[in-house]
Every structure is written in structure tokens, then in C-alpha cells.
């Protein structure tokens, strides 16, 4: 068994085709997760009756169980629910018409939501209470003070953690192979299955993931610089 | 003009304000003094509902609210008629000096941007910050930040401005510039309630001094009455503790 450097290159080119799949899973789970996380965080911070308890239970259960388990539970559980409902209400829709990647979207969004609710919460807590009081003291409503004063600063404070979450979801998206979605990693396995050069293929996959991660870090740094410009003070 | 009637407030079982009544006339500057824990800051915060009074009535101008059944709309109205200058400035840190002053004009008063901008620039020039319009709070000194805070409070043309120890967080050499601005506004006849430990300022600027202790108003009168001829023993004790001997005998 010898290293075949040229096959790393060959595999690399073939793996590029799977990048859109990986990125779409990452993007969907991060965006939907952010919305879920923001809502969850607000419910908990404002102690909404009943809903706050449900939100807490959601966060502790999801963070307490592996992402792969979420995917498998959704994959096996969701069709049962959908088909049951469809039969009951006489819909023509059946779970077989859900594409495999749909299960990855749904389950990873749920996973990301729980982690991001903590990121959002930390961001909001980073905005000091005095500024909210100042907004109230000039007659702004709660919603106005959240939208104009708290959220922009919470976002700036949460950016480093958000970037971490994006990278986490990028790498986590490889688990989608469990429901037969061909992402970069799964593609590497397929590419190597004809000649057994798995090592070269996975090396190529690693290079692509590394590149994507560096790209995300760069973009995050750029956004951070723009959004956090107000923090670079000279005088105390 | 401003009438607080029978305001009471408790934090848990600790009663901080006991049935306080205070009237402030238009254009009057009232300074509230008192040891820490006397309830003076809480009283001030009750006036614009940053603390919710347990009971009592608040009247500002022609607006009147009964605290035991104040609704959200009442609270918003009350806040639009009052403004607060905070001990820790509490500027919006992601907004420039100009944007800090403009914010309420745009969002609360819904003025067109050009109009809000014009008025905000005028206010910042008035507090001596015409050259710092586009600086973020992190690049301003404490004194400059507090002057932005004062311009922000002036922007809504409130019936009364509440000052909560506006110079307590400042370096000693910056206290003067802020007091100077407050003095200038007082001369324009804007109604003010000021909680402060600056005795010299209280003596110069106040029309009336109110001394609080233990959640009640112990004594009130002109600065001369309270500082030179205090009637109550608690007032005398307090003044002895905070006023250097030399000043006290003037």
C-alpha cells in the first residue's frame, strides 16, 4: 500500500461537486437555527409562561443528545407522524416524497437552534441594562428598544460564537451520510470505493473542509470588523 | 407642574419610599440630598417609571397617572414628558453622539431625518460637542459622554429633566464641565430634579433643597435654609459629615 498523490488531486476535483450539498445543509441549518435560537432565547429571557419551560426543555434535551441521534429520530419518526396525519385528514401527500436531504435540513436546524439559543442569549446579556433603561426613559417601547438598541449590539457581541456555530454545523453536516445524502465526506467514500484509495480521498475531503472553514473565518472577521466598529475606542 | 403624591415603593419587604409627596414648579431646580439608601435615586426613577411605584399619583404637566393602575400607554406618555440623565451615562454604544441624540426624535417623535439631525446638532453644539458629532461613545471622555447624555435628554423637550448623580462617575477634573452645562440649562428655565452630592452646585443652582433619609422627606427649603439653618437633627448630622468645616461656617 503506497500513497498515490495524484489520486488526491483526482479525488479533489470529484469532491468539488458535493460542495453545494454540504453548503446548503450548513446554510439552512444555521439560518433556521438562528431564528429558532433567537425565539427560544427570548422566550426564556422574558420568562413567557409555559413556553419558557418548553424552550428550556428543548435546549437541554437537544444539547444533551448527539446530533446523529437527532437525525435518526427525525428520519424514522417524522414519516410516521406525517403519514399518520395524512391518513387521518385524507391528504394525498406521503412521506416518501420528502427528499432525503429534507430530513437533514429539519433535524440539523433543530440541533443548531438549541446551540444558537445560548449564543443569542449570551449576546443579549452582553448589552448592559442601563442602555435599555435609557431607551425606555426617552419613551421607546420594549420592541423599539430591542430592535434598535439591544439586537444590533447583541449581534456584534455574538458574532465570534456565531462563527463557531457555523463551523460546527459545516463539519456536523457530514453526518447526513446516515440518511444517504452525498455530502463531501460521503462523496469521498464513493470516489474511493472503486480503487480502495480511501486515505487519499479523505485527505482531499479534509483539504476542502479546511478551505471552507478558513473562508468562513475570514468572512466572519470582516463582518466583525464592520459591525463592531463602535467598540474601538481610544479614550476610556 | 410636577406633583408626586403619596408615592410608596418597596423592594420585597424593604420599604424604600414611604408616602412621599413633592411638588416642583415650572422652571424650578430641586436638588435632592441624602445619605445612600435614603431612597432619593428610587424616587427619581419612579418619576419616569424606571421603578414602578407601589402606590401614589404622578402628575406631569396636564398628564396624570395613578400608579396602582397605570397601563402601558400611560407609562409611555409619562416617559415622553420626562427625561433622565444617568450616573453611568448609558449612551447607546453602537451609535455616534449625533445618533444618540437623534434616536428618540426619529423613533419616538417620528420626525423626518433632516429635521431630527438639525435639532440634534444644535443641541450638541449647546453642550459644547459640535466637534464630536460623529464620535462613538467609546472615543469620548466621561465628561463628554455625560454631555451627550444631557443633549439626548433635552432632545424630546421634556417637561422635566431628572439627573441621577450625573457627576458621581466622573474623574474630578471632568466634573466642572458637566456642572457648567447643567447650570446653563437651569438658567434657561428648564425644570429639573437633581440627585447629587455636589454641595457647591446645590447651593448655587437649586431653588429648593430636599433632604431625604429612610424613605421620607426629612426637611426641605431654600439652599440657605437647609444648609445654614437646618431644623432637623438628621439634616445637621448629614451636613456635618459631608461638608468640610470651613465651608460650613460661611
Amino acid at each position: 500500500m503506497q500513497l498515490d498523490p495524484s489520486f488526491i488531486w483526482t479525488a479533489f476535483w470529484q469532491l468539488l461537486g458535493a460542495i453545494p450539498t454540504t453548503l446548503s445543509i450548513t446554510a439552512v441549518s444555521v439560518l433556521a437555527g438562528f431564528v429558532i435560537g433567537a425565539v427560544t432565547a427570548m422566550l426564556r429571557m422574558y420568562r413567557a409562561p409555559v413556553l419558557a419551560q418548553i424552550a428550556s426543555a428543548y435546549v437541554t434535551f437537544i444539547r444533551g443528545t448527539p446530533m446523529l441521534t437527532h437525525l435518526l429520530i427525525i428520519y424514522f419518526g417524522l414519516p410516521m407522524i406525517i403519514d399518520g396525519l395524512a391518513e387521518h385528514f385524507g391528504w394525498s401527500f406521503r412521506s416518501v416524497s420528502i427528499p432525503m436531504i429534507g430530513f437533514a435540513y429539519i433535524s440539523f436546524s433543530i440541533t443548531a437552534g438549541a446551540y444558537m439559543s445560548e449564543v443569542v442569549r449570551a449576546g443579549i446579556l452582553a448589552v448592559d441594562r442601563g442602555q435599555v433603561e435609557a431607551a425606555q426613559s426617552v419613551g421607546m417601547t420594549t420592541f423599539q428598544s430591542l430592535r434598535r438598541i439591544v439586537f444590533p449590539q447583541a449581534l456584534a457581541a455574538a458574532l465570534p460564537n456565531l462563527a463557531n456555530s457555523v463551523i460546527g454545523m459545516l463539519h456536523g453536516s457530514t453526518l447526513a451520510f446516515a440518511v444517504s445524502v452525498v455530502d463531501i465526506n460521503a462523496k469521498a467514500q464513493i470516489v474511493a470505493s472503486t480503487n480502495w484509495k480511501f486515505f487519499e480521498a479523505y485527505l482531499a475531503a479534509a483539504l476542502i473542509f479546511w478551505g471552507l472553514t478558513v473562508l468562513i473565518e475570514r468572512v466572519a472577521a470582516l463582518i466583525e470588523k464592520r459591525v463592531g466598529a463602535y467598540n474601538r475606542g481610544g479614550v476610556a | 407642574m410636577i406633583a408626586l403624591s403619596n408615592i410608596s415603593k418597596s423592594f420585597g419587604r424593604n420599604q424604600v419610599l414611604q408616602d412621599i409627596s413633592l411638588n416642583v414648579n415650572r422652571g424650578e431646580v430641586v436638588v435632592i440630598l441624602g445619605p445612600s439608601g435614603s431612597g432619593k435615586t428610587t424616587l427619581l426613577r419612579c418619576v419616569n417609571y424606571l421603578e414602578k411605584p407601589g402606590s401614589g399619583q404622578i402628575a406631569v404637566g396636564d398628564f396624570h397617572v395613578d400608579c396602582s393602575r397605570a397601563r402601558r400607554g400611560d407609562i409611555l406618555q409619562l416617559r415622553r414628558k420626562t427625561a433622565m440623565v444617568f450616573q453611568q451615562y448609558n449612551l447607546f454604544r453602537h451609535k455616534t453622539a449625533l445618533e444618540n441624540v437623534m434616536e428618540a426624535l426619529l423613533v419616538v417623535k417620528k420626525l423626518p431625518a433632516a429635521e431630527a439631525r438639525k435639532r440634534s446638532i444644535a443641541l450638541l453644539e449647546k453642550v459644547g460637542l459640535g466637534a464630536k458629532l460623529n464620535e462613538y461613545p467609546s472615543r469620548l471622555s466621561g465628561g463628554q459622554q455625560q454631555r451627550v447624555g444631557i443633549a439626548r435628554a433635552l432632545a424630546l423637550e421634556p417637561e422635566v429633566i431628572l439627573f441621577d448623580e450625573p457627576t458621581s462617575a466622573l474623574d474630578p477634573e471632568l466634573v466642572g464641565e458637566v456642572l457648567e452645562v447643567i447650570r446653563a440649562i437651569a438658567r434657561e428655565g428648564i425644570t429639573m430634579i437633581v440627585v447629587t452630592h455636589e454641595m457647591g452646585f446645590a447651593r448655587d443652582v437649586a431653588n429648593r433643597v430636599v433632604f431625604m433619609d429612610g424613605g421620607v422627606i426629612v426637611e426641605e427649603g431654600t439652599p440657605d435654609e437647609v444648609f445654614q439653618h437646618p431644623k432637623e437633627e438628621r439634616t445637621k448630622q448629614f451636613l456635618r459629615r459631608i461638608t468640610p468645616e470651613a465651608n460650613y461656617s460661611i
Side-chain angles (χ1 to χ4, degrees):
Chain A
M1 181 80 196
Q2 246 187 339
L3 181 71
D4 177 358
S6 74
F7 188 66
I8 299 177
W9 191 238
T10 315
F12 185 87
W13 282 107
Q14 294 192 45
L15 296 191
L16 290 182
I19 288 181
T21 308
T22 290
L23 286 186
S24 82
I25 296 173
T26 310
V28 168
S29 58
V30 163
L31 293 176
F34 183 73
V35 174
I36 297 172
V39 172
T40 309
M42 297 306 288
L43 289 177
R44 292 178 75 188
M45 294 186 79
Y46 281 86
R47 301 204 178 86
V50 189
L51 292 174
Q53 278 85 42
I54 295 175
S56 295
Y58 158 69
V59 173
T60 158
F61 177 74
I62 296 298
R63 297 206 323 155
T65 44
M67 192 167 160
L68 181 57
T69 311
H70 307 156
L71 179 60
L72 294 173
I73 288 177
I74 290 289
Y75 179 69
F76 290 109
L78 196 60
M80 286 202 277
I81 296 172
I82 289 176
D83 292 340
L85 287 175
E87 210 159 310
H88 188 266
F89 291 104
W91 302 332
S92 60
F93 184 82
R94 286 293 180 276
S95 61
V96 264
S97 49
I98 302 176
M100 289 302 182
I101 201 168
F103 293 103
Y105 287 156
I106 295 170
S107 113
F108 292 168
S109 296
I110 293 171
T111 310
Y115 285 94
M116 288 209 174
S117 82
E118 293 296 291
V119 173
V120 171
R121 201 166 73 98
I124 290 175
L125 288 177
V127 183
D128 69 301
R129 174 102 199 105
Q131 291 187 53
V132 179
E133 288 191 344
Q136 288 173 342
S137 80
V138 292
M140 287 164 79
T141 62
T142 307
F143 180 72
Q144 284 171 336
S145 64
L146 281 175
R147 187 170 58 87
R148 306 213 23 125
I149 307 302
V150 177
F151 286 156
Q153 293 182 75
L155 189 66
L159 265 175
N161 285 328
L162 279 177
N164 261 338
S165 292
V166 176
I167 292 168
M169 292 316 294
L170 172 75
H171 297 168
S173 72
T174 50
L175 293 173
F177 82 93
V179 294
S180 327
V181 173
V182 183
D183 75 313
I184 296 170
N185 215 43
K187 183 86 176 175
Q189 191 181 13
I190 293 168
V191 167
S193 59
T194 50
N195 57 8
W196 290 74
K197 292 185 174 166
F198 288 106
F199 178 63
E200 288 82 351
Y202 284 126
L203 216 51
L207 285 174
I208 294 177
F209 276 114
W210 187 22
L212 290 174
T213 304
V214 170
L215 199 69
I216 292 170
E217 282 169 347
R218 289 281 162 82
V219 172
L222 270 179
I223 298 176
E224 231 173 279
K225 208 170 162 187
R226 278 191 70 127
V227 178
Y230 62 85
N231 263 330
R232 284 194 301 278
V235 197
Chain B
M1 157 77 198
I2 291 158
L4 309 177
S5 323
N6 312 105
I7 302 283
S8 292
K9 167 78 185 171
S10 302
F11 291 116
R13 286 174 56 199
N14 175 22
Q15 188 163 15
V16 218
L17 298 176
Q18 299 178 28
D19 208 26
I20 287 200
S21 296
L22 178 68
N23 288 311
V24 180
N25 298 318
R26 182 179 285 276
E28 202 178 9
V29 177
V30 172
V31 167
I32 305 180
L33 301 176
S36 66
S38 60
K40 52 194 193 309
T41 290
T42 306
L43 179 65
L44 201 68
R45 288 165 60 85
C46 279
V47 178
N48 72 347
Y49 246 86
L50 288 177
E51 292 309 340
K52 186 185 180 319
S55 62
Q57 283 98 44
I58 301 174
V60 175
D62 49 9
F63 179 75
H64 180 271
V65 62
D66 185 336
C67 302
S68 54
R69 49 167 178 274
R71 279 170 307 183
R72 192 178 301 186
D74 297 330
I75 296 170
L76 278 180
Q77 271 224 46
L78 181 66
R79 285 181 177 155
R80 283 166 198 188
K81 290 177 180 295
T82 58
M84 180 85 121
V85 173
F86 297 87
Q87 184 175 0
Q88 301 293 341
Y89 334 131
N90 292 352
L91 295 187
F92 307 134
R93 303 199 63 81
H94 63 313
K95 294 187 179 289
T96 62
L98 181 60
E99 288 166 346
N100 262 277
V101 182
M102 282 174 71
E103 183 68 10
L105 293 176
L106 291 175
V107 178
V108 178
K109 275 213 165 165
K110 315 251 187 252
L111 288 187
E115 168 76 14
R117 200 182 152 80
K118 211 176 88 190
R119 277 168 66 169
S120 304
I121 292 174
L123 285 168
L124 283 166
E125 279 167 353
K126 187 166 164 177
V127 298
L129 290 174
K132 300 279 183 187
L133 298 178
N134 297 317
E135 295 287 2
Y136 286 105
S138 58
R139 296 185 59 90
L140 297 174
S141 72
Q144 290 167 337
Q145 288 191 55
Q146 191 58 297
R147 286 188 278 153
V148 175
I150 293 170
R152 178 174 69 182
L154 284 167
L156 282 177
E157 298 172 337
E159 306 245 5
V160 58
I161 301 186
L162 312 162
F163 290 86
D164 182 14
E165 307 195 17
T167 57
S168 298
L170 292 172
D171 292 341
E173 79 268 23
L174 301 177
V175 170
E177 66 183 55
V178 171
L179 290 182
E180 201 41 57
V181 167
I182 299 177
R183 262 195 199 102
I185 301 168
R187 262 184 247 120
E188 289 179 16
I190 290 174
T191 316
M192 296 183 184
I193 306 178
V194 187
V195 170
T196 185
H197 295 296
E198 295 290 332
M199 293 304 138
F201 173 81
R203 222 170 290 183
D204 293 355
V205 182
N207 303 111
R208 191 144 50 101
V209 174
V210 172
F211 175 69
M212 280 181 72
D213 193 15
V216 296
I217 293 177
V218 175
E219 179 164 1
E220 60 176 289
T222 63
D224 189 56
E225 284 166 0
V226 175
F227 287 120
Q228 313 306 337
H229 314 288
K231 290 193 278 290
E232 301 290 329
E233 189 51 37
R234 273 193 284 178
T235 318
K236 288 178 193 166
Q237 273 178 12
F238 175 74
L239 290 172
R240 260 201 300 277
R241 254 184 291 130
I242 59 159
T243 323
E245 305 264 327
N247 288 350
Y248 191 41
S249 60
I250 294 171

